């Protein structure tokens, strides 16, 4: 509501500080004075995110007049992560569930094992948060699902366990969104009890309570960020039958309804962002272990299958590195757990296998961290 009286030259500036006028429009009541020559029975609305409005009072005839009616540039974008971390997992050849990590430098080189990083567990998920940190969450430590999480500092150090963060489950997926936040979604609470719920992670690494009813309940799916505005996508997975579907996530963490028919139905795959605004889903099982990948456009469209990109495997993980590149790592082939990675260029091309990078394992998690190379 504008002032009921004004003098020539009076000026008011309104700015969409939170960039939400698109969903929370501003309605101006000129309070008895004219607005652009019309009386205050007319509706005056502004509905564009990031808009700014500079109005000046002219006289009783024209009343308030906009001097400027502009959309400001998008807010600054967080710098991309430069390094990555793989952690936890399982090796059936005697080691069982693992408590270890491997750091990845800004050139995509994987370092040796670091052991003793929180409770050993498998079927875990991980995501970046806060711009330069990461979090591992949920999984199976043996004896059932858990809601444990472990924060990762901007220098790649994994913190001790944090308990009690939403419904305990295993085989969820996780992705970053909005530049500095994360989201865990879906999974299995035990005994093939698939769930349709998510937990948002704020930019301080605090996991929120459950949000329920977000698409088809499933497990062993994958998720990744995409887009220049900080969106994310969950896709594929299993309800007992393998799925070809996706759920887009807005940059405010709202999960959309199911969209079906997005490449070969499969589970046990991984996904990661590459370039400035695109992503890729890769590998998994269609009933047979596969090396299929699917590129994701900057508006969340998943492309058709691309086959034959490195050793076919399932139960792997993926993370971004080097600002605009990515890598898939580890997993399980028909012969058991493997120790290998495949680099992904900033144009989405998957490279040949790189072998011998830390302990062979599967059902692990991975995420980007650090904005310093």
């Amino acid at each position: 509501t504008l002032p009921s009286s004004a003098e020539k030259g009076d000026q008011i500036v309104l700015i969409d500080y939170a960039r939400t006028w698109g969903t929370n429009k501003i309605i101006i009541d000129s309070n008895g004075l004219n607005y652009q020559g019309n009386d205050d029975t007319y509706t005056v609305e502004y509905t564009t995110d990031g808009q700014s409005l500079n109005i000046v009072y002219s006289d009783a005839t024209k009343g308030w007049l906009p001097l400027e009616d502009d959309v400001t540039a998008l807010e600054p974008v967080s710098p991309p992560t430069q390094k990555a971390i793989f952690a936890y997992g399982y090796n059936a050849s005697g080691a069982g569930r693992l408590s270890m990590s491997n750091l990845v430098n800004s050139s995509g080189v994987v370092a040796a094992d670091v052991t003793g990083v929180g409770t050993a567990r498998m079927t875990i998920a991980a995501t970046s948060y806060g711009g330069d940190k990461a979090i591992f969450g949920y999984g199976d430590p043996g004896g059932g699902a858990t809601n444990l999480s472990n924060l990762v500092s901007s220098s790649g150090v994994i913190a001790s366990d944090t308990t009690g963060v939403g419904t305990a489950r295993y085989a969820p997926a996780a992705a970053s969104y909005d530049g500095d936040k994360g989201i865990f979604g879906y999974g299995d609470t035990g005994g093939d009890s698939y769930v349709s719920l998510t937990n948002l992670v704020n930019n301080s690494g605090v996991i929120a309570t459950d949000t329920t009813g977000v698409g088809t309940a499933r497990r062993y799916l994958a998720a990744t960020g995409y887009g220049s505005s900080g969106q994310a996508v969950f896709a594929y997975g299993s309800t007992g039958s393998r799925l070809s579907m996706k759920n887009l996530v807005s940059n405010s963490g709202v999960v959309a309804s199911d969209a079906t028919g997005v490449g070969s139905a499969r589970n046990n795959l991984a996904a990661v962002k590459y370039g400035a605004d695109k992503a890729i889903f890769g590998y998994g099982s269609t009933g047979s272990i596969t090396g299929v990948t699917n590129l994701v456009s900057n508006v969340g469209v998943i492309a058709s299958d691309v086959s034959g990109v490195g050793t076919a495997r399932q139960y792997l993980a993926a993370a971004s590195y080097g600002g605009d590149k990515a890598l898939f790592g580890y997993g399980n082939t028909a012969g058991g757990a493997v120790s290998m990675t495949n680099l992904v260029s900033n144009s989405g091309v998957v490279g040949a296998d790189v072998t011998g990078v830390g302990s062979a394992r599967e059902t692990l998690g991975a995420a980007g961290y650090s904005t310093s190379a």
Side-chain angles (χ1 to χ4, degrees), residues 225-243:
Y226 76 91
S228 59
S229 300
Q231 300 95 325
V233 57
F234 290 89
Y236 304 98
S238 172
T239 60
S241 299
R242 295 172 181 86
L243 301 171

Side-chain angles (χ1 to χ4, degrees), residues 1 18 71 89 96 153 166 184 195-196 205 211 219 227 253 264 274 278 292 300 303 323 333 347 356 360 366:
T1 302
V71 176
S153 73
F184 289 93
V195 293
S196 175
T211 300
R219 66 179 181 180
S264 292
Y274 75 89
K278 293 173 277 294
V292 162
T333 67
S347 57

Side-chain angles (χ1 to χ4, degrees), residues 189-272:
T189 60
D192 297 332
S193 297
Y194 313 122
V195 293
S196 175
L197 57 88
T198 57
N199 299 83
L200 300 182
V201 182
N202 70 15
N203 57 12
S204 299
V206 177
I207 300 178
T209 55
D210 298 340
T211 300
T212 57
V214 287
T216 296
R218 58 200 193 271
R219 66 179 181 180
Y220 291 120
L221 69 165
T224 176
Y226 76 91
S228 59
S229 300
Q231 300 95 325
V233 57
F234 290 89
Y236 304 98
S238 172
T239 60
S241 299
R242 295 172 181 86
L243 301 171
S244 175
M245 65 167 51
K246 69 178 180 181
N247 299 83
L248 300 181
V249 182
S250 73
N251 60 7
S252 58
V254 177
V255 181
S257 56
D258 298 339
T260 58
V262 289
S264 292
R266 61 196 194 276
N267 60 352
N268 309 337
L269 70 166
V272 64

Side-chain angles (χ1 to χ4, degrees), residues 78-145:
S78 301
T81 55
Q82 297 289 331
K83 301 172 186 175
I85 182 171
F86 289 84
Y88 304 96
Y90 180 80
N91 188 314
S93 301
R97 293 168 178 80
L98 300 169
S99 175
M100 64 167 54
S101 63
N102 297 84
L103 300 183
V104 182
N105 70 16
S106 59
S107 299
V109 177
V110 182
D113 298 340
V114 176
T115 58
V117 287
T119 296
R121 57 201 193 273
M122 57 187 284
T123 55
I124 196 169
T127 179
S128 301
Y129 80 90
D132 62 352
K133 293 173 280 292
I135 182 171
F136 289 86
Y138 305 95
D140 174 11

